Amino acid sequence: MVYRGKTWIGKGKVLRVNHRTNRVWVEGVNLREYPTAASVEDPDPGQPVEYEVREKSVHYSQCNLIDPVDGRRTRLRFRYLPDGRRVRIAVRSGAIIPRVPYEPRTDREDPKWSKLLTTPRDIVMERTNITPSWAKQSRRTLEEAAAGNTRA
């Protein structure tokens, strides 16, 4: 449930969370119209601009969890069960609020630039193991060591 002060805005499923900015995207709440990319790239004066409706973020402090018993908003307490598990407890009714299992997103592809910036290992080793021209050769080569020369 999302509230702005005492005013109820809506309720829905949390789609996304940004922990850095403390913002959440809730399904069906704080909807805004954004112009589609196709209508922005091809501005034809005769054609109207097309819009798509998307959710905008809301600060996490405006959101509450819903009590599973009576369906009203509630706060949380964390308690430990006798078997040692840490669970979320609704303050309003004392019921356990189960966590939604974490499912990592699999629809993302590697960015196109990540493959372009990745240097193959053989090239890295070849370039980083070159001694600079200004450095003196202080080590003996393997051939000199195998021949038995003791010159430094």
Side-chain angles (χ1 to χ4, degrees):
M1 296 182 113
V2 180
Y3 281 81
R4 195 165 276 143
K6 290 189 175 183
T7 308
W8 183 73
I9 294 180
K11 100 168 128 173
K13 180 178 153 187
V14 173
L15 301 173
R16 198 170 93 190
V17 177
N18 185 343
H19 293 282
R20 182 175 290 165
T21 60
N22 295 326
R23 312 266 318 164
V24 295
W25 283 258
V26 181
E27 184 179 30
V29 175
N30 205 11
L31 298 174
R32 297 289 184 261
E33 288 184 347
Y34 293 95
T36 59
S39 66
V40 171
E41 291 174 1
D42 186 24
D44 186 10
Q47 295 283 339
V49 178
E50 296 178 3
Y51 292 94
E52 67 174 319
V53 178
R54 286 186 290 178
E55 289 86 3
K56 203 170 175 194
S57 65
V58 181
H59 196 264
Y60 83 100
S61 64
Q62 297 175 344
C63 300
N64 290 100
L65 286 178
I66 298 174
D67 193 339
V69 175
D70 61 1
R72 297 173 64 191
R73 66 179 177 166
T74 184
R75 293 173 294 146
L76 288 179
R77 299 270 189 262
F78 289 95
R79 298 287 181 251
Y80 290 92
L81 294 178
D83 62 353
R85 287 185 301 142
R86 184 178 180 224
V87 293
R88 304 185 303 175
I89 305 287
V91 172
R92 181 178 293 280
S93 65
I96 294 177
I97 300 176
R99 284 195 173 274
V100 178
Y102 173 71
E103 297 175 6
R105 289 179 59 179
T106 57
D107 59 343
R108 293 184 187 173
E109 295 181 11
D110 288 337
K112 295 176 185 175
W113 51 264
S114 69
K115 294 177 183 171
L116 299 175
L117 296 179
T118 305
T119 308
R121 182 177 175 80
D122 55 341
I123 293 175
V124 171
M125 295 306 292
E126 174 184 315
R127 303 245 171 136
T128 56
N129 288 333
I130 296 174
T131 54
S133 59
W134 50 265
K136 293 181 180 179
Q137 284 286 25
S138 61
R139 294 187 195 173
R140 294 184 297 163
T141 62
L142 290 175
E143 294 84 21
E144 290 176 343
N149 292 340
T150 57
R151 265 189 322 165

